[in-house]
Amino acid sequence: MTRRKLPGSRSPSVGHGQDQDAAIAVDDAGPHHPPRLTLRSRLAVAVGHAVAAASRATGRGRGQVVGGRAMLRLSPGILAELARDKRIVLVSATNGKSTTTRFVAEAMRVEGAVAHNRTGANMAPGVAAALAAARRAPAATLEVDEAHLPGLLASTRARVVVLMNLSRDQLDRGAEVKRLAVRWRIMLEQADWPLTVIGNADDPLVAWACSAARTVQWVGAGQWWREDSALCPACSHTLDRDGKDWRCPGCGLRRPPPQWRTEGTVIVPPGGEPLPTHLRLPGRINVGNAAMAAAAVGVWGIPPATAIAAFEQVEDVDGRYVEAVADGRRVRLLLGKNPASWTELIDIVATSGHRLVIAINSRGADGRDPSWLWDVPFERLTGREVWATGERRFDLAVRLSTAGLAVLGVTDDPLAAVARTAGDEAVDVVANYTAFQALRARVAP
Amino acid sequence: MSGTLGIVHVFPTLMGTYGDGGNVTVLQDRARRRGIEVDAVTVGPDEAIPALGDLYIVGGGEDHGQIAAARRIRAQGSLAQAADAGATVFAVCAGLQVIGVDFEVEGGAIEPGAGIVDLITRRREPRAVGEVLADPMPRLGLPRLSGYENHGGGTRLGPGTEPLARVVAGIGNGSGGERGDGTEGAIAGHILGTYLHGPVLARNPALADLLLSWAIGRELAPLDAPYVAELRAEREAYVASGKLSASAADPR
């Protein structure tokens, strides 16, 4: 692979700028000259930072969303201004956005500062806040909500977009899976600037959307949940499946041959030697995430081995997978927010043998309807002891007891359940989005 | 029914988006715990729906899965034959639309349904999304139904079709204006449809038992349902607290 030197790319570690919003990862503010903003946008950034600081000071949150919202209100065109001349990677998927974005950030940091919405604020306000907080960074890596990707891709004109998987999630928001794929496809057809798409060849909906783009690097990143892709996205014929391979007997749509492959924990880059990985993050899904991230940073000339070495340093992603201590008990926090993410977690939880606490909420960011719990194969944990917790603990208790798990108790607070588990070994706490956020804020890593 | 209860789960990979597979899990669980032998068949998208089942389940789904399922069900004819022969058919959401006479899809096209029950569905605005409470027709002897709806269709019942329930909170069938006409679901003989997810049989085990009793042709002994009373009470309290309208984009 040829190493390209891009405008704005500098060697790292030459002095550290200090940005005002310390809550956002200003990984390393380098000497990059930020694009000049219009007066309106300069005011917007100042007001946004003040609003964010006030929000943090009053303990209402981490401030990015309210700050970003203020910026966008004062200067609706600010995203394009902030994004100008930056090397930007956008990452979107139903699952794995945060982890893959983090991997990309770690690898790109090798070359300098990176703006990164690492707290998962992944709609326009969070993206604006992350870009504004690291104005000097020559690069940005941003996770983006699936439904908000078309707008944010158009306004940032990112050069690289990583598209990984689509499956059922938060269905009450009306974001049907196929409809998202259609919107992604139209978005890629309409992109009129040099854009490289890193596409997961193993997910038929994603592959169909990506095939509308001019430049695609295909990655065989795996697909662990297939219940939303039985039909050809192009012609609705039933797809033929054979292992990872898929094709449509109706219209001929088929799995694109991937340039990047994974075999177990090994990543095989295009035309290169297979590279063993030793990720600290568990599960085969993270090997796929790493392959997507390696392909993304490869577009900027970062060699796969360098990228993988950076990924291996990641121990947790905004609290996910982290081992922490709560009231003297060791807990491992896992995010399980929809059937696809749970399908992978079941393996991790089944083999850990740890005591198990599950927490389920149904706020806006979780999806209001937890019916999806019945799509999760909890039957694979039959006989396991478990606590059902969170705001939807009774829905969860009904589901788990029907699957034959031994429900030890039902309580609102997952940490109260942790405190009541016997023994002194670690407890696995699997929580969905807002339940996880609340936990992360309460436990000390 | 001959000894074994034959449950047929119709095209879950085409129509099973909203956790409705849980209905089959609940039916099997409640039958087996009563000592009833169950033979459950899952019909794949390219397989034939067997005509000799006792209880057919059709779940909810997205437009393109729904159209594909409707065309297959119509072409095969076996589900309609089974319904004519007295089998129990239970359909949820898009499944309810599919077993009707016809339904409108995104873009305005009218797609014929399986014609098993006299109802039609047209698109409605706004989409009906949120918690539902509904009181079943008194003759059914069922407690209040609790569930969650999420549909862009408004369903109008024909003269030969009775509503399953009267809406207490939520929209239900949703034809005839923004708030709907107050009906929820449909019943005709042993064909029963509803817009409720949850899954509906997990939240309403009495409804599961009604379907099982139709399918096996006799009354069933009572059976416990762990944590369901607490779940139903918690949902009633949630609705009573007025938090019904879901905001589309909560701050994260």
Side-chain angles (χ1 to χ4, degrees):
Chain A
M1 185 177 300
T2 54
R3 193 171 166 81
R4 272 185 291 165
K5 203 73 179 167
L6 286 135
S9 163
R10 297 279 184 90
S11 59
S13 77
V14 189
H16 287 240
Q18 188 60 53
D19 272 276
Q20 299 166 39
D21 191 341
I24 293 196
V26 184
D27 287 346
D28 237 335
H32 175 73
H33 295 292
R36 287 188 70 80
L37 298 182
T38 58
L39 282 175
R40 169 182 285 274
S41 291
R42 279 185 239 171
L43 172 69
V45 168
V47 170
H49 283 324
V51 168
S55 170
R56 281 195 303 280
T58 54
R60 274 175 296 187
R62 293 193 268 188
Q64 294 95 327
V65 173
V66 285
R69 227 176 254 153
M71 289 179 207
L72 289 164
R73 206 161 34 233
L74 288 168
S75 177
I78 195 168
L79 273 172
E81 290 181 55
L82 290 168
R84 205 168 50 214
D85 300 330
K86 268 189 173 41
R87 291 174 287 151
I88 296 181
V89 178
L90 301 186
V91 178
S92 197
T94 304
N95 291 306
K97 290 186 283 289
S98 298
T99 302
T100 304
T101 306
R102 176 70 189 283
F103 283 159
V104 170
E106 291 302 318
M108 289 181 76
R109 212 155 57 152
V110 170
E111 298 213 326
V114 181
H116 175 198
N117 54 343
R118 69 188 299 166
T119 61
N122 62 15
M123 302 182 197
V127 166
L131 290 171
R135 294 263 332 275
R136 288 192 173 79
T141 170
L142 301 159
E143 71 163 85
V144 179
D145 178 85
E146 308 86 278
H148 290 76
L149 180 65
L152 285 168
L153 181 66
S155 49
T156 60
R157 294 170 76 90
R159 294 283 297 275
V160 179
V161 62
V162 181
L163 303 177
M164 304 198 293
N165 54 72
L166 284 172
S167 65
R168 59 190 69 174
D169 186 41
Q170 299 181 43
L171 291 168
D172 59 296
R173 288 166 70 189
E176 292 190 340
V177 181
K178 168 73 187 289
R179 198 170 301 157
L180 286 172
V182 170
R183 291 174 58 194
W184 281 11
R185 186 174 168 88
I186 294 168
M187 157 188 95
L188 295 175
E189 277 168 356
Q190 292 175 343
D192 57 357
W193 64 93
L195 171 67
T196 299
V197 178
I198 311 298
N200 182 4
D202 294 342
D203 186 316
L205 283 164
V206 171
W208 173 71
C210 292
S211 64
R214 284 179 210 104
T215 310
V216 187
Q217 283 202 36
W218 296 106
V219 182
Q223 188 194 28
W224 315 113
W225 174 263
R226 295 183 172 177
E227 300 302 311
D228 294 310
S229 50
L231 297 183
C232 175
C235 76
S236 291
H237 200 287
T238 316
L239 292 176
D240 283 345
R241 297 270 196 167
D242 179 15
K244 280 185 175 177
D245 204 23
W246 56 266
R247 60 180 294 277
C248 175
C251 69
L253 186 75
R254 53 188 287 268
R255 176 180 183 249
Q259 286 110 336
W260 294 73
R261 293 179 294 119
T262 62
E263 290 166 9
T265 58
V266 173
I267 292 176
V268 188
E273 287 291 304
L275 297 167
T277 64
H278 303 281
L279 300 175
R280 299 195 200 183
L281 304 185
R284 51 196 178 156
I285 209 161
N286 282 322
V287 180
N289 292 340
M292 300 289 301
V297 301
V299 176
W300 306 116
I302 296 170
T306 308
I308 290 168
F311 305 160
E312 287 171 346
Q313 304 307 311
V314 177
E315 286 180 333
D316 75 277
V317 177
D318 201 31
R320 286 157 221 194
Y321 310 105
V322 80
E323 289 240 13
V325 175
D327 296 332
R329 285 299 296 268
R330 278 187 305 132
V331 296
R332 179 168 63 160
L333 301 184
L334 299 163
L335 177 72
K337 55 178 187 169
N338 54 40
S341 65
W342 260 103
T343 298
E344 177 72 8
L345 283 174
I346 290 268
D347 283 339
I348 295 173
V349 167
T351 52
S352 81
H354 293 171
R355 302 273 173 180
L356 183 58
V357 173
I358 303 176
I360 298 294
N361 286 353
S362 62
R363 301 188 185 191
D366 301 308
R368 301 274 175 189
D369 176 16
S371 292
W372 58 268
L373 288 168
W374 293 78
D375 289 329
V376 178
F378 285 114
E379 282 75 7
R380 285 165 60 189
L381 301 176
T382 293
R384 269 293 274 281
E385 294 181 341
V386 63
W387 280 79
T389 74
E391 292 162 357
R392 300 305 291 270
R393 57 197 175 277
F394 295 119
D395 296 79
L396 181 61
V398 172
R399 171 69 188 113
L400 296 173
S401 57
T402 305
L405 283 81
V407 178
L408 295 180
V410 180
T411 178
D412 183 13
D413 179 4
L415 292 184
V418 168
R420 291 169 66 180
T421 55
D424 54 6
E425 76 274 38
V427 180
D428 279 343
V429 184
V430 188
N432 70 340
Y433 194 81
T434 65
F436 186 93
Q437 297 290 71
L439 272 170
R440 195 191 49 78
R442 287 172 63 198
V443 302
Chain B
M1 186 193 103
S2 56
T4 302
L5 172 66
I7 297 181
V8 181
H9 194 186
V10 179
F11 302 142
T13 48
L14 303 178
M15 305 225 300
T17 311
Y18 298 89
D20 299 320
N23 291 321
V24 179
T25 308
V26 170
L27 287 166
Q28 291 191 59
D29 179 60
R30 296 188 71 73
R32 288 191 173 128
R33 282 165 60 202
R34 290 182 166 102
I36 299 164
E37 203 175 311
V38 176
D39 181 13
V41 176
T42 299
V43 185
D46 287 329
E47 293 170 357
I49 303 168
L52 294 175
D54 301 302
L55 175 49
Y56 292 81
I57 320 288
V58 192
E62 304 187 354
D63 264 2
H64 85 144
Q66 179 184 6
I67 295 166
R71 289 179 181 168
R72 285 163 166 81
I73 290 169
R74 222 171 44 243
Q76 294 184 10
S78 47
L79 183 62
Q81 286 164 23
D84 279 347
T88 300
V89 178
F90 175 57
V92 176
C93 195
L96 168 68
Q97 300 175 5
V98 160
I99 65 171
V101 175
D102 59 33
F103 56 92
E104 182 180 358
V105 298
E106 197 171 348
I110 304 293
E111 184 76 21
I116 296 168
V117 60
D118 185 10
L119 55 85
I120 62 166
T121 303
R122 296 294 176 265
R123 295 193 74 82
R124 55 163 280 130
E125 286 292 340
R127 205 174 162 84
V129 183
E131 287 290 322
V132 179
L133 297 173
D135 286 332
M137 304 309 282
R139 71 171 177 87
L140 297 171
L142 293 173
R144 177 169 283 184
L145 297 176
S146 168
Y148 189 91
E149 65 183 333
N150 184 357
H151 56 101
T155 293
R156 195 166 75 237
L157 307 181
T161 309
E162 220 189 336
L164 168 65
R166 291 273 158 201
V167 171
V168 177
I171 305 295
N173 289 339
S175 77
E178 190 170 320
R179 299 302 307 170
D181 62 2
T183 67
E184 153 46 34
I187 292 194
H190 283 180
I191 299 158
L192 190 151
T194 176
Y195 268 111
L196 303 191
H197 304 290
V200 64
L201 299 186
R203 279 163 72 161
N204 304 277
L207 181 60
D209 289 352
L210 176 70
L211 295 168
L212 286 173
S213 70
W214 285 355
I216 66 174
R218 62 175 163 83
E219 294 290 306
L220 295 169
L223 184 72
D224 68 332
Y227 303 108
V228 171
E230 293 93 329
L231 166 57
R232 291 169 59 87
E234 186 268 327
R235 288 289 89 196
E236 285 243 12
Y238 175 85
V239 172
S241 75
K243 294 183 208 153
L244 264 180
S245 58
S247 122
D250 282 26
R252 287 196 170 177

